[in-house]
Amino acid sequence: MKVLIIGGVAAGTKAAAKLKRMDRGMQVTLITKDQDISYAGCGLPYYVGGLIDTREELIVNTPAKFAGLTGVEVLTGREAIKLDSTAKTVTARNHATGEEEHYTYDACILATGASPIVPPLPGMDLEGVFKLRTPDDAIGLRDYVKSTQARRAVVVGGGFIGLEAAENLQAQGLTVTVVDLASQIMPNIFDPEMAEYVKRHLQSKGIRVLTGNPLEAILGSGRVDAVKTGMGTLSADVVVLSIGIKPNTAFLADSGIELFKGTVVVDEHLRTNLPDVYAAGDCALVKNRLTGAPQWSAMGSSANYEGRTLAQLLGGAEVRYPGALGTGVVKLPGLNAGRTGLTEAAAKAAGYDVETALCVVDDKAHYYPGAGSFIVKLLADRPTHKLLGIQVLGPGAVDKMVDIAVTGLSMGAKLEDFSNLDYAYAPPFSTAIHPFVQAAYILLNKLSGALESFTPAQYAAGEAKDYTVLDVGLQPSIQGAVRIDLASVNGPLEGLDKDAKLLLVCAKGKRGYFLQNRLKYFGYTNTRVLEGGTTFNQVRVAGVAASVTPEQITAVKALGFLFDKRTPDKFNGRVITRNGKITAEEQKVIAEAAERFGSGEVTMTTRLTLEIQGVPFENIEPMREFLAQHGLETGGTGSQVRPVVSCKGTTCQYGLIDTFDLSQEIHEKFYEGYHGIKLPHKFKIAVGGCPNNCVKPDLNDLGVVGQRVPQVELDKCRGCKVCQVEQVCPIHVAKVVDGKVVIDPNICNHCGRCVGKCPFHAVDQSTNGYRIYIGGRWGKKVAQGLALEKVFTSREEVLATIEKAILLFREQGITGERFADTVARLGFENVQEQLLQDDLLSRKEENLAAQKHLKGGATC
């Protein structure tokens, strides 16, 4: 039997290898357009982030290795351009020779996969715009980020690959914004309330997410520098397109094959409508295992299963491919997300009478170190109790919850079928009653009426607005709610009518259920438990300003919002201005943000950031999203490089250097570029244009001062009785000694005021440069920085020295101490010697990768 396989990677290579194992005498030929036939496509984002180090680790098999292992004839660089099912031939173009080649078959497998969608918008061909589908894409992206020292990334598309790309770009030190046309991230994968929780989580981790935001153009001259969206223009050094994929099936247009939106329609035996032509993988349209409806499942796992099943079928086995469930899992910063089966919307569209429960359950014994929670949304058919789907969020092994559901869905299980399953238990791994079983119990309680509740979606829609909120948590956490001590409830609640509408809220939902059970016994008729409690929901009592918890204060502080202790829930948010200079348009945006989200007042901080006053806690994320739409960000707190402060530089009559431009570059390289790097304490940088020291560079951790070093040509000096150079020197360092002007280099502050003042041109020459001060500090303890002995003459030297100072502070500083303390402890001469050499740069990668200063010392 002669089998021709078009395409490699997952489905094609899996089918080829299995065919040869089943029948070594079978003639199997695999042709593919690409040179790589088998690679880890799902690992590409992790190569970008550096978790996968080399290209070789991404390559599962080279063509030669695969051919040697399996006996399959592998022909790369062949692009299929025509299928003739009558003649049983495939025509392909050989890209090496340009010639057309013809291949015959007894059976043909289409495994051509899919390609990234690139919208027909301006700027798609600019340098710095990437897709993420092949190893070369990932290699090109990582190399570009490093070679250009990119600091700002925009990821277009909020699906799995887009979010994985965002996480890994952030891991490389970039500031990342995700934009998506849809109203939520992960559309049709997670239900809206689950996606909204993930969005809030990503934003808390510093990844901006702008949904309902269409891409309009990518801007730049030769190289990308911004992204134009429906909500405004976002600055960008690199763009990743993750909008979606389209099947590689254009060559089949005239073949007579049945296509649906570009996918090849197949039956449960993976047969197309053409004789002896089959399809598998990302180009094939299979069916949903639950509903039997057509479903496109472009996943590496599905492709492998389909390829293997197809090989078995061609080998004569009595097997079928029963369909896909849409199972998926994604790793995000500090949160994993998994799902399988139907979403609530899809289940209703399929005709099911859907009931759901959202619960928060322990992922292992609560007392075991590292224990966390699963946020579980479980779906079932109300009349039959048949399991329909699951969505799980949490820091731990969400995949095991999803995999249990996959087994149950595949076997048509009802919720009751899970009741007494003997799942593995030990404190490091699970709870005594498995978390999946707990979720099933909760949904069964809801179906039976034992639990009466509001889902988070119902709560967000306002269905609980007429209910009195009872706070049943272990500790009071909801401002304005009626506090209930669960342990003391042994009868009717004082002051609450038995027919009153009562919303029972705790941290997770469990204590709320216990209270409801007790209140029902005492005759209360209208109680509802809020599913997911305060863990999942943002609970507010109408008309009451909610006080914030210490955890919330800490969380938003890292985003640049400082708590106003005169209020229960208001913060002052710092808007970064890069170098103290912003445009008139940005001023308007900040003013509008202050009016819409804050008190309407804006103040200037000493670090030249703008601070929007009086922002309620619930307005923080909406305000950050609004600012992000206009390319602005909040921040400037924590044990990190702080925003750079700059004087007016060359716009001042005394300015010697362009401080705005230098400060902008320092901001991009060290505020944005080192944004994810923890230091022992805050690290402040100031740039002054001259020795007037308007922004006190010598009272910062590191200060840069513009210099103009005069050069005296003594042969031109006339020894004038009234020396103009001496007269103009503001600090009286220039003096006429023995008939010649002398400028003591150890005292001169290099202000340059004397240059060009001699009528005989004795002091016309000078060297422009930069003086760097280290170890300054202002505050409770004052330290004046000391100048390095060298006057630097290039900006590159200055930037390198700043980086070395930051690296030295991270490597040799003690958590909680300021750089001045580090310099004093190590000795100025020691520190200066290290900064004037390059050893610190050679240890950079090791230094930044080290788990140091995980809790820094900055308190403001």
Side-chain angles (χ1 to χ4, degrees):
M1 185 177 184
K2 182 188 294 186
V3 180
L4 176 67
I5 300 174
I6 307 173
V9 190
T13 54
K14 177 60 69 175
K18 181 64 175 175
L19 282 166
K20 291 295 286 186
R21 287 198 299 271
M22 294 177 67
D23 184 352
R24 190 70 180 173
M26 192 176 291
Q27 184 181 339
V28 181
T29 302
L30 187 151
I31 65 170
T32 177
K33 177 182 175 181
D34 299 322
Q35 296 301 316
D36 293 315
I37 66 158
S38 184
Y39 55 83
C42 298
L44 301 181
Y46 304 103
Y47 177 88
V48 173
L51 289 173
I52 297 172
D53 191 41
T54 66
R55 186 186 198 279
E56 289 67 32
E57 292 174 85
L58 292 173
I59 305 302
V60 178
N61 273 313
T62 64
K65 181 180 176 183
F66 182 77
L69 286 171
T70 64
V72 174
E73 181 183 16
V74 179
L75 302 174
T76 60
R78 271 77 169 183
E79 180 180 4
I81 58 175
K82 184 179 180 181
L83 169 68
D84 184 341
S85 63
T86 302
K88 288 196 171 184
T89 61
V90 169
T91 302
R93 179 172 291 110
N94 186 325
H95 284 288
T97 65
E99 297 177 350
E100 291 186 359
E101 300 173 347
H102 303 280
Y103 302 90
T104 60
Y105 64 82
D106 297 317
C108 178
I109 297 175
L110 304 174
T112 49
S115 298
I117 293 173
V118 179
L121 296 172
M124 294 298 142
D125 58 347
L126 288 174
E127 184 181 351
V129 179
F130 291 89
K131 305 179 290 294
L132 203 53
R133 187 69 178 173
T134 69
D136 287 342
D137 293 334
I139 291 162
L141 175 56
R142 190 168 89 175
D143 289 349
Y144 184 84
V145 165
K146 289 190 174 182
S147 65
T148 63
Q149 295 185 310
R151 294 294 173 248
R152 296 160 298 188
V154 171
V155 177
V156 184
F160 280 4
I161 297 297
L163 296 181
E164 288 171 343
E167 179 194 19
N168 284 281
L169 286 167
Q170 187 188 54
Q172 292 284 23
L174 280 75
T175 300
V176 182
T177 301
V178 177
V179 299
D180 200 302
L181 172 64
S183 60
Q184 66 169 79
I185 55 174
M186 300 181 290
N188 304 316
I189 302 173
F190 282 85
D191 285 317
E193 70 276 22
M194 299 291 278
E196 182 62 26
Y197 180 92
V198 175
K199 177 181 175 179
R200 294 199 306 266
H201 175 83
L202 291 173
Q203 290 173 325
S204 74
K205 296 297 184 181
I207 294 177
R208 293 179 290 184
V209 181
L210 308 178
T211 50
N213 191 16
L215 173 68
E216 295 182 353
I218 297 177
L219 309 177
S221 180
R223 173 183 291 185
V224 60
D225 58 33
V227 173
K228 184 180 180 184
T229 74
M231 294 181 177
T233 299
L234 305 171
S235 298
D237 302 314
V238 64
V239 174
V240 177
L241 298 175
S242 186
I243 297 170
I245 56 175
K246 57 183 179 182
N248 296 325
T249 56
F251 76 100
L252 298 171
D254 298 325
S255 67
I257 202 166
E258 183 182 358
L259 299 173
F260 178 77
K261 294 183 178 180
T263 58
V264 181
V265 179
V266 298
D267 63 13
E268 65 180 4
H269 295 108
L270 301 167
R271 294 178 300 208
T272 73
N273 64 310
L274 299 180
D276 300 313
V277 178
Y278 304 81
D282 291 358
C283 68
L285 182 67
V286 294
K287 69 175 183 179
N288 183 281
R289 191 163 184 158
L290 286 178
T291 67
Q295 178 162 323
W296 188 27
S297 181
M299 298 288 288
S301 52
S302 300
N304 274 280
Y305 290 132
E306 292 164 25
R308 187 178 191 276
T309 300
L310 185 46
Q312 290 176 300
L313 283 163
L314 292 176
E318 292 293 330
V319 295
R320 66 185 183 90
Y321 183 71
L325 290 169
T327 307
V329 65
V330 63
K331 176 184 175 296
L332 303 171
L335 185 74
N336 302 318
R339 56 92 63 211
T340 192
L342 302 175
T343 62
E344 186 172 353
K348 289 176 179 177
Y352 289 105
D353 182 5
V354 183
E355 187 60 273
T356 73
L358 188 141
C359 50
V360 181
V361 293
D362 295 334
D363 64 1
K364 54 180 68 71
H366 66 87
Y367 53 82
Y368 190 82
S373 295
F374 290 135
I375 296 171
V376 183
K377 181 173 182 179
L378 204 61
L379 300 87
D381 181 51
R382 188 178 281 112
T384 65
H385 296 189
K386 178 182 177 182
L387 179 66
L388 297 178
I390 192 173
Q391 299 164 39
V392 191
L393 309 174
V398 301
D399 58 307
K400 74 176 183 180
M401 296 285 284
V402 172
D403 289 344
I404 291 170
V406 167
T407 304
L409 289 166
S410 300
M411 296 181 175
K414 298 190 297 184
L415 296 175
E416 289 85 350
D417 293 329
F418 297 98
S419 289
N420 293 301
L421 292 185
D422 193 10
Y423 289 121
Y425 163 65
F429 303 103
S430 185
T431 51
I433 296 179
H434 194 280
F436 187 96
V437 178
Q438 290 185 47
Y441 285 166
I442 291 169
L443 185 46
L444 282 168
N445 282 340
K446 188 172 178 180
L447 286 164
S448 71
L451 168 65
E452 296 179 71
S453 61
F454 281 127
T455 67
Q458 290 173 314
Y459 179 74
E463 292 188 30
K465 64 180 180 181
D466 296 329
Y467 281 68
T468 298
V469 179
L470 306 188
D471 185 347
V472 203
L474 282 169
Q475 301 294 331
S477 62
I478 306 170
Q479 188 75 13
V482 177
R483 173 69 182 151
I484 301 295
D485 178 10
L486 178 62
S488 65
V489 177
N490 294 305
L493 300 176
E494 185 178 348
L496 292 174
D497 188 272
K498 290 186 178 181
D499 292 324
K501 294 180 177 181
L502 304 177
L503 182 66
L504 317 181
V505 185
C506 61
K508 299 179 179 181
K510 185 177 181 179
R511 292 172 63 84
Y513 170 64
F514 290 166
L515 177 61
Q516 182 181 67
N517 179 269
R518 202 169 295 187
L519 291 179
K520 283 184 176 182
Y521 177 79
F522 294 124
Y524 286 81
T525 61
N526 204 346
T527 62
R528 295 290 182 92
V529 176
L530 180 58
E531 297 177 19
T534 55
T535 298
F536 190 86
N537 302 277
Q538 296 176 310
V539 181
R540 299 285 184 268
V541 175
V544 177
S547 61
V548 290
T549 66
E551 293 76 17
Q552 289 172 323
I553 292 171
T554 299
V556 299
K557 182 178 175 182
L559 304 175
F561 289 83
L562 302 180
F563 181 53
D564 184 343
K565 63 180 180 292
R566 301 170 301 173
T567 70
D569 75 328
K570 289 186 172 58
F571 294 76
N572 301 325
R574 295 179 176 178
V575 184
I576 305 304
T577 61
R578 301 176 297 274
N579 54 8
K581 180 168 67 173
I582 59 176
T583 67
E585 187 60 35
E586 289 172 330
Q587 285 273 23
K588 293 176 186 176
V589 169
I590 293 169
E592 184 178 350
E595 290 179 345
R596 288 176 59 175
F597 304 103
S599 67
E601 298 174 312
V602 181
T603 63
M604 177 72 80
T605 73
T606 56
R607 300 303 299 173
L608 301 186
T609 61
L610 290 173
E611 195 170 88
I612 295 175
Q613 304 288 292
V615 182
F617 179 80
E618 62 187 12
N619 283 358
I620 288 176
E621 283 307 326
M623 189 179 92
R624 291 184 71 237
E625 183 165 327
F626 174 78
L627 292 170
Q629 292 165 8
H630 299 276
L632 293 166
E633 61 181 328
T634 63
T637 55
S639 299
Q640 299 169 317
V641 177
R642 293 292 180 88
V644 185
V645 64
S646 165
C647 76
K648 296 189 295 179
T650 49
T651 65
C652 167
Q653 62 178 321
Y654 303 119
L656 304 175
I657 59 173
D658 188 344
T659 56
F660 285 136
D661 189 59
L662 177 58
S663 296
Q664 170 102 14
E665 190 165 1
I666 293 172
H667 171 85
E668 292 173 356
K669 288 182 179 295
F670 304 117
Y671 177 75
E672 292 184 351
Y674 273 67
H675 198 65
I677 304 301
K678 273 285 189 182
L679 299 176
H681 212 292
K682 54 194 168 189
F683 191 88
K684 296 182 176 181
I685 303 172
V687 180
C690 73
N692 283 341
N693 284 358
C694 295
V695 291
K696 311 295 187 290
D698 58 340
L699 294 178
N700 281 256
D701 297 280
L702 187 143
V704 181
V705 180
Q707 302 279 279
R708 182 167 293 163
V709 183
Q711 297 175 0
V712 180
E713 297 180 76
L714 292 177
D715 58 326
K716 294 181 180 179
C717 178
R718 303 290 181 85
C720 300
K721 189 172 184 180
V722 178
C723 175
Q724 295 301 313
V725 173
E726 184 177 5
Q727 290 289 308
V728 79
C729 179
I731 60 172
H732 310 297
V733 171
K735 298 182 181 300
V736 176
V737 179
D738 297 330
K740 295 291 182 180
V741 65
V742 175
I743 302 174
D744 188 338
N746 296 314
I747 304 175
C748 177
N749 66 6
H750 307 152
C751 70
R753 297 283 295 281
C754 62
V755 177
K757 296 300 187 292
C758 174
F760 303 104
H761 309 293
V763 194
D764 278 4
Q765 302 299 314
S766 64
T767 300
N768 290 336
Y770 311 81
R771 176 78 77 185
I772 294 181
Y773 289 81
I774 61 170
R777 177 174 58 197
W778 188 258
K780 300 182 186 73
K781 293 173 63 179
V782 178
Q784 186 161 12
L786 299 175
L788 300 181
E789 63 185 21
K790 178 179 179 178
V791 174
F792 299 90
T793 56
S794 75
R795 179 181 290 195
E796 290 70 29
E797 286 183 299
V798 172
L799 294 170
T801 304
I802 294 172
E803 184 164 29
K804 285 185 277 188
I806 297 169
L807 292 171
L808 184 145
F809 188 34
R810 175 173 167 79
E811 180 184 80
Q812 299 169 38
I814 297 172
T815 300
E817 73 176 3
R818 288 290 297 273
F819 190 46
D821 303 318
T822 304
V823 173
R825 179 170 51 80
L826 299 178
F828 174 78
E829 295 299 330
N830 176 1
V831 173
Q832 175 174 248
E833 182 179 0
Q834 292 189 66
L835 297 184
L836 296 180
Q837 297 175 358
D838 290 332
D839 290 352
L840 286 159
L841 293 176
S842 68
R843 300 193 299 272
K844 174 181 174 180
E845 297 301 326
E846 177 186 352
N847 186 351
L848 298 185
Q851 295 293 298
K852 295 173 68 69
H853 314 298
L854 297 181
K855 182 173 176 58
T859 56
C860 67

